[in-house]
Amino acid sequence: MIMRLCIDAHHLAQMPQGVLIENEIRIRAELGEISDGISQIHDFQDNEYKSKVYALVAEVQRCSTFQLETMENNELRNRELAHLKNLEHECAQLLGQANLAIQGFTKNKGVDYSKYEQMVSEVNTWYQYQQILLEVMYKISDLTYALNLGTISHENSYATYLPYAKQADDALKQLASWHEDNGLKLEIDLESSRRRRQGIGGFFMNI
């Protein structure tokens, strides 16, 4: 999860416009898929959190849509970079909340099957939010690197993404362990779940 492929380490200022357009189209397409993913979440959450995630994705998508136009004006580009920094901060808060919520579920020990089934449904929603927000933060890092025209390093551009990706990875490892422990205690057929890839624990197989 943490080791993602970054765009080529050439200065974007030296890239042909066709390459820049191709990169912009790629980011916009991926953000469109993220928006579709949010709408498919069957949400137990309050609408405030979900609306914040929607708004965040919409803003990042707007930044991507007008990326080339922004690059042509230094004043506009600097304003957009400051805006991306604010979006990154908001994304970090939402992602941190999702990571902590997932970790919180792993503190529940000795639950019965009914409670476990309910918790799996709830944690699945947080898992979907977590994955969406990780993608959004990665796109923000992409745009930050692009709008800086190669004047900063990839390490600088992805400096916020990497620790949050690690936190997410750690949370999912704890969650997988919690699932395995409950599977043993409640005598859930984990092999059957793996074959079906659905039902109680099915989504854990994708972690």
Side-chain angles (χ1 to χ4, degrees), residues 49-194:
Y49 186 89
K50 189 171 188 176
S51 66
K52 285 181 178 179
V53 176
Y54 260 122
L56 178 66
V57 172
E59 270 302 295
V60 176
Q61 198 159 23
R62 183 199 62 77
C63 293
S64 176
T65 299
F66 299 102
Q67 176 183 345
L68 291 179
E69 179 181 327
T70 301
M71 284 179 171
E72 295 173 355
N73 185 306
N74 279 335
E75 183 180 350
L76 183 59
R77 184 172 59 84
N78 288 330
R79 279 207 308 268
E80 198 77 322
L81 282 169
H83 184 48
L84 281 171
K85 181 59 68 176
N86 290 333
L87 293 177
E88 184 179 61
H89 177 71
E90 184 175 353
C91 185
Q93 289 183 316
L94 293 169
L95 178 55
Q97 185 176 344
N99 288 339
L100 291 173
I102 291 172
Q103 289 176 328
F105 281 95
T106 67
K107 296 181 177 15
N108 291 277
K109 309 294 184 182
V111 297
D112 60 23
Y113 185 85
S114 177
K115 179 66 174 176
Y116 172 71
E117 187 175 25
Q118 176 189 342
M119 291 174 67
V120 166
S121 177
E122 292 177 359
V123 77
N124 185 35
T125 298
W126 281 112
Y127 169 73
Q128 291 178 73
Y129 275 128
Q130 180 202 57
Q131 295 304 300
I132 286 169
L133 289 164
L134 278 171
E135 286 297 319
V136 171
M137 184 173 282
Y138 189 80
K139 302 312 170 196
I140 291 173
S141 300
D142 259 356
L143 287 167
T144 298
Y145 183 80
L147 292 182
N148 272 287
L149 304 178
T151 60
I152 63 174
S153 65
H154 278 105
E155 290 79 8
N156 191 331
S157 299
Y158 298 90
T160 300
Y161 169 80
L162 291 174
Y164 277 92
K166 184 180 185 309
Q167 184 188 52
D169 201 42
D170 290 342
L172 293 183
K173 287 177 181 176
Q174 292 177 40
L175 188 61
S177 177
W178 175 82
H179 173 63
E180 292 285 344
D181 289 345
N182 279 286
L184 292 173
K185 291 175 184 176
L186 299 173
E187 299 182 348
I188 299 171
D189 188 349
L190 298 180
E191 284 303 320
S192 177
S193 290
R194 286 188 177 92

